[in-house]
Structure formats: structure tokens, C-alpha cells
Amino acid sequence: MGKIVYMDNSATTPTKSEVLEEMKPYFTEKYGNPSSIYSLARETKAAIEKSREKVAKVLGANPDEIYFTAGGSESDNWTLKGIAYANQNKGNHIITTKIEHHAVLHACEYLEKHGFEVTYLPVDEYGLINLDDFKKAITDKTILVSVMFANNEIGTIEPIAEVGKICKDKGIYFHTDAVQAVGNVPINVKKMNIDLLSLSAHKFYGPKGVGALYIKKGVKINPLIHGGGQEGGRRAGTENVPGIVGLGKAIELAGESMDSHIERLTKLRDKLIGGIMKIPYSKLNGHPVKRLPGNVNVCFRFIEGESMLLLLDGMGVCGSSGSACSSGSLDPSHVLLAIGLPPEIAHGSLRLTLGDFTTEEDVDYVLGLLPKFVKRLRDMSPLYEEFIKKGEESCTAKK
Amino acid sequence: MYSEKVMDHFMNPRNVGEIKDADGVGTVGNPVCGDIMRIYLKIEDNIIKDAKFKTFGCGAAVASSSMATELIKGKTVDDAWGTSNKAVVEALEGLPPIKIHCSVLAEQAIHAAINDYRIKHGMEPIKEEHKDIHDEERCE
Ligand SMILES: Cc1ncc(COP(=O)(O)O)c(C=O)c1O
């Protein structure tokens, strides 16, 4: 393989070597089942508890409020179904947003088929929910509010502390999908009044297939996975010990380097955005400032996103798009439609997400390629041709 | 996900552009769905002398347009009409199932261009057998 410039860190990140080194012994030497009683097992049990402490520290939680899962999707599903069924006696109404990850949206659709009612809050052109809309959506049947901390496509950071305060005053459980936020935005579950929080290790340089759910002490929730007594009887299954150890190390590193990570990525991000905005008929999606430090999401009018991804891939650049063609369906991204983009423009979106291994050289390399690729695709676009012809007509009409 | 042939026709598309004094032009697709294909034909003595295209769409859409224009060049108008989407898919050494509609779009673009030519020359347009692919799917 030639040069690879990886700009898809919101999809996943590489596992850092320090993280991998911590995990390794738990595959081979330290393999005991944490539920057994001999010393080989006590060692793995202790490793899990150490990880739990590390997660709790970064979130401002107590260790006994952290439950390990198989990733972000499980944590989201557990919350939605577990809270809904455990609190049916209080009500059947859930509030979420139109821009959640499918792990939340599809779990909500499932619950709607089983007697629950869900309000999907709209967002403004930047992807932000409106707090008045939110307050108005609350009824005496509302049992759960789920608002993502930061959006995975456009990077918009939602007013989580404000939502948390409102939920606390009303006595409604508040869950946030923080899969994209952990390591990228300072989080304190107590100060922000968060009752449940989902995270996933592979988004912050840990391994795939392991995550956690923070559940505030006292929250009433049913298990999603029934079985043995692991995780305080709330999440059955022999623990993914190497994964949990990796998650712990990764979140510890993320916590230690958060400030410098945010500062460095924000600079690179803004350089990339600034360079792209020089391309005519391009638009930034998401909020200019309330935005994940590594997230760039833009639309190039008159071109289709998958074509752009293929050209970039030809030069070793890994990115993603909200176009229908790259999502495996015929509809463009629900997030881009929710911020009000017309479908034909949403098809031309490009997401580049920077990470700890992205260099300024990478940014310059991509900025060198994009104008050429945009021109090449526009030159073959009938939409651009029509736009230019119309433009000429309206110019001559003015004269 | 794409065959080498598709990637070749995407990276080095044949016959991109316009024909200024085309004898037939056909545009199909819908930008809302993320694909629009326009084919230009130069026709002399009932033979496709030249074909060019402009496409807004994914890799498969560009490759299908490129291959379709290659396939019909030099053919009689009737033979060009008979160039099916299956022929385009075969020539491209396959398309992923979700991208088959791109080849259908190419077939329809050829038909639209030929009918445009027929109308301009006082002939009845030929009735299109396929219904619009986008009617069948969610995107309208
Ligand atoms: C916001 C958000 N929630 C949930 C998930 C799902 O996480 P996982 O891949 O660990 O199941 C993702 C990852 O794509 C995400 O970005």
C-alpha cells in the first residue's frame, strides 16, 4: 500500500500501542475467568476494577456507576429498552432528537412498535436542538430524554448541561450518547446532571467491541443481557477482559492529554475548513465553534459524495460521506436532511475527521487534492453545466 | 466493492463532455436521488457516430455512463436502443446489487437521447418499456 492519510477518526481510531501493550497479557498469561476464585482469576477481576476506576475518574462518576458493555450500540440499546421497560408504570414517552445515531433511533422505532411514544426533536441549521422546543415536548408521561453529546456526522456539540438541568428539575432520566464526545470534550456527569452516558473505546484509540454505560446510582433500569451475575447482575456475560483493560488505558490517556489534543486538533480542523471554504460553492455543515475538535463536514454543490471519496481513496485519503450511495440506501444522511439541506446538496457531503495521528502535512496534502477533484467532478456534472448556463442567462438578463 | 473495470471507467471515464450540435440529447435521473445522467448523440446515416455524457452521481453511475457510451458508438440506432442495462453490467464485470439502478439509468439515458433524435426527425418516439426506476424505490 502507498501513502495512507487517515481522516475518518469518527468512524474509528487505531488502537494506540500503549493501549495494546496493556491488553496483551490478558490474552495469554492473565486469562483467568474473573468470576472464578483462584489467584489467576483475582488478577483479571482486579484489572477490570482498575479500568472501572479510570473510566469513573474521567467522567466524574463513582466506579460502581460504570458498567462495561460491547460498545456504543449496546450501551444505547440498553438505555432505551432498559429504562423504557423498567419505568412503564410512570409513563411511556421518550424524547430524543432527529440527529441521533441509528443505535438510538432504531431502538426508539422498536419501542414505538411496542407501545411507547417518541418525540424526535428537530434541530436548527447548525444541528443544535432548541431548549424551548425541548421543554414544550415534556409531558407528565415522559420517562427518558436521550440527547447525543456530539453528533458523529457534523460534529455539533449539544447543550448537554442545560438539558441535564431541565431533566433534573422535572425528575426525568437523562441519557446522552457521548460516543463521539469522550476524549474530545470535557465531561462531568455530576455537574452536567447526566443519569446515563454511553461510550465506546474504539473512538478514543482503544479496541473495538468494548464500551461502557454510566448509570447513576439509583436509576431504575432493566438488564438487556440476561445471564450470569457479572457487572453487579446488570450485564451478564464473561467480561471482555483485554478489551476492558484497553478501554481503561485508552480513556486514561485521553483524559491526561485532553487539553493538548483539543488545542492541536482544533487548529488543524480550522486550517482544513478555511482551505476548503476557498473552493467556490462549498459550505460548512454543523456549527463553526460548538464543534468536535477533529470534525470537518462540508458540501460541494453539483457533485456526489461517493465519487469524491473514490477519487480521494485513489490518493490514499480515507474519508466518508453522507451521500446515499455511500450509506447503502437511497436516501442521504438523516442528519444532513435534519439541518435543512436539500437532498441534492446533501448528496455532495464530505466528512473528514482528524485525530491524534493526523499531521499538518496531511491537511496540506488533502487541501492540495480537493480543488482538483471538485473541478474534475463538476466538469462532468450536468447540474453544474445547467447552473453555469443559468448564471450566464441571469447575467445577460440583468444587462 | 467495485470491480477493476468499474474503477477504470470511473477513474478514466471515456467520452466525458458535451456534443454542441448533438442530434439527440437525453437526460434521466433525479438530483434528489443523487444521480443525473445526460447522454449526447451524433447520428449520421442511422449510425451512432459519437456519444458523450455528463453525469452527477456515484462511481457506478459514472462508470455506467462511460461504458454505455462506449458500447453504443458505431452501432445502428436500433442496436443502440437494444443495449440493455445487463450488457452494461456485464461489460463492467458486475456492479454491487444496490448499484444496478445506475446501469438502468444508463439504458434509459440512451433511450431518451434516441427518442429526442426521433422526435427531432419527425419520427414517433419509441415507448419506453422500463418504468422509471425511481418510481419503484423510496427515492422519488
Ligand atoms: C454517536 C454514536 N453512537 C453510537 C455509535 C456506535 O458505537 P459502536 O460502534 O461502538 O457500537 C457510534 C459509532 O459509530 C456513534 O458515532
Side-chain angles (χ1 to χ4, degrees), chain A residues 72-82 102-104 106-107 198 224:
Chain A
S73 299
E74 185 191 325
S75 297
D76 288 343
N77 272 271
W78 183 8
T79 301
L80 269 302
K81 296 170 197 168
H102 284 137
V104 168
H106 290 170
S198 304
L224 181 68

Side-chain angles (χ1 to χ4, degrees), chain A residues 166-230:
Chain A
I166 295 166
C167 289
K168 185 183 177 218
D169 292 346
K170 300 262 181 192
I172 302 168
Y173 289 144
F174 174 40
H175 166 253
T176 185
D177 174 345
V179 167
Q180 293 290 338
V182 170
N184 287 313
V185 193
I187 298 176
N188 185 303
V189 290
K190 302 288 171 211
K191 285 192 190 135
M192 295 174 160
N193 292 304
I194 296 165
D195 297 311
L196 302 108
L197 177 146
S198 304
L199 60 86
S200 182
H202 74 103
K203 308 286 186 180
F204 50 87
Y205 311 96
K208 295 169 181 59
V210 60
L213 181 63
Y214 154 78
I215 307 175
K216 189 180 166 180
K217 205 184 218 101
V219 167
K220 244 181 95 188
I221 183 168
N222 286 354
L224 181 68
I225 314 273
H226 298 264
Q230 294 90 351

Side-chain angles (χ1 to χ4, degrees), chain A residues 307 330 347 376 380 386, chain B residues 11 32 38 55 57 99 137:
Chain A
S307 291
L330 286 175
H347 282 294
R376 179 166 158 185
M380 69 163 89
E386 277 159 24
Chain B
M11 288 304 226
V32 171
R38 179 172 298 156
T55 288
K99 304 288 189 173
E137 304 182 41

